[in-house]
Amino acid sequence: MSDTPFGFGLPPEEPENGDEGKKKDQESGGGQGPDNPFGFGPGGLGGPGGDNPLAAMFGSLNPNDLGAAFQQLGQMLSYEGGPVNWDMAKQIARQTVSQGTPDGTKDASIGPAERTAVEEAVRLADLWLDDATSLPSGAGSAVAWSRAEWVEATLPVWKELVDPVAERVGAAMGDVLPEEMQAMAGPLLGMMRSMGGAMFGTQIGQAVGVLAGEVVGSTDVGLPLGPAGRAALLPLNIESFGKDLSVPQDEVRLYLALREAAHQRLFAHVPWLRSHLFGAVEGYARGIKVDTAKLEDVVGQFDPQNPEELQQALQQGMFQPEDTPEQKAALARLETALALVEGWVDAVVHAAAKPRLSSADALRETLRRRRATGGPAEQTFATLIGLELRPRRLRDASRLWASLTDARGVDGRDGLWAHPDMLPTASDLDDPDGFVHREQLDFSELDKMLGEAADGSSEKPNLTKDEDKQTGEDKGDDDR
């Protein structure tokens, strides 16, 4: 670590010759050196001085942008919330969306015609899915979102995903300092955490904003990102997705509506599934370790004239999974859970679409490859939180669900979602035939017995000791 915590230098000493010395120092440009914590010099605010921290932070701003720049700096330093500044994340995500995608497509409000098209596509998709799954419809409503609306609706779920890992970063920031220095550096440590939360919020906001330009619905990453029971599609992104596929736009929309509606059925009628998936994510996050050597280097040499160092460190990634049996098991649970969800959706949607859409095979393969490779936003999340939200074994899981359909029928296949212990494991994906023909545990009778026992105990009257004693005596009289 550097000799001066966080890289702050000592304040400049007073020149021996008083004001005259100060004047000479300013004329020589000394007022803009590293010892000047605010970098005000002859060049003025944002002037040519290379050491000007405000120029480093905000670049060459015109006077009209200075107010916004200082407001953002104030937000960074005044933040006192959790490990991620989610207000800033939302602001950055909205700004990223407003800039448009690399192909030049700008976000736009949803018109009545697009809303009607989405509602009709989801309604037809639900009718087709009735023949492919025993799970009833889970979409109480269908909505068409702009990219900005997707950001607003999904940020609460991103918070659940990111906060556990970000919490570890906040703790690690304090751990890299010796105990005796932590007491002395309290205010600076608080500022570091505020800026860390802001930098993390900036990176998450950028990733969410980029992802908003790629996703076609609320369940693209295999997790329920939107409100429960609301099937959502993004017409603008659907148009971009199908632009080079040589497939009619109506078919593209309908196929994507099938996937969205299938996800909604699964999450609506398997009540434990959401907590199972998020529990797997949290379990994996607990095993993430922070690269304290890299963090110590960043914290130890932090320079208020270059706060981008924190952001660059986050971009490079400082999270690594621990190489322990527990962490490997957590990763396997998460990957298997994501693969089973996506594999079931893939199999069910294919069964519903194959007889009805001539482009079903082509759309299926396109989406499989899209999920396997991921986009830049998914790669950003992998760098930030050490987690790739991609089902590595999608094809294996899809084959297993299809084999289960052939062997046990639709009801037998979907019945496995009744209990998490009935689902295939990672080893079952290696041997799908063995799982398909294995005798499965039936938890329905056990659940019924436990329910009856609970009802019976709740119906027993609450008796006092005297009443209970009297009841026993009456029973004894009856026996005699």
Side-chain angles (χ1 to χ4, degrees), residues 224-289:
L225 298 178
R230 185 176 300 174
L233 295 176
L234 282 73
L236 183 60
N237 291 354
I238 291 175
E239 182 179 351
S240 298
F241 172 80
K243 186 167 54 177
D244 300 323
L245 295 181
S246 301
V247 176
Q249 188 72 16
D250 289 346
E251 287 195 21
V252 174
R253 184 192 303 111
L254 185 51
Y255 192 88
L256 296 176
L258 281 166
R259 288 184 53 81
E260 178 74 10
H263 276 102
Q264 294 294 335
R265 288 185 180 225
L266 193 58
F267 287 112
H269 299 291
V270 183
W272 52 265
L273 181 56
R274 188 183 190 279
S275 60
H276 179 75
L277 281 170
F278 280 79
V281 172
E282 187 174 352
Y284 179 78
R286 281 197 299 268
I288 292 290
K289 64 180 180 181

Side-chain angles (χ1 to χ4, degrees), residues 2 60 68 95 250 263 295 301 369 400 414 429 438:
S2 62
S60 300
Q95 290 174 356
D250 289 346
H263 276 102
L295 183 61
Q301 300 182 28
R369 292 179 181 178
L400 186 146
D414 293 346
L429 295 179
R438 185 188 312 157

Side-chain angles (χ1 to χ4, degrees), residues 176-209:
V176 297
L177 289 177
E179 290 185 11
E180 61 273 13
M181 190 177 292
Q182 289 185 23
M184 298 172 56
L188 298 181
L189 191 60
M191 185 185 77
M192 280 291 299
R193 285 175 175 162
S194 295
M195 295 192 70
M199 295 300 183
F200 225 123
T202 298
Q203 290 300 301
I204 295 297
Q206 289 174 346
V208 170

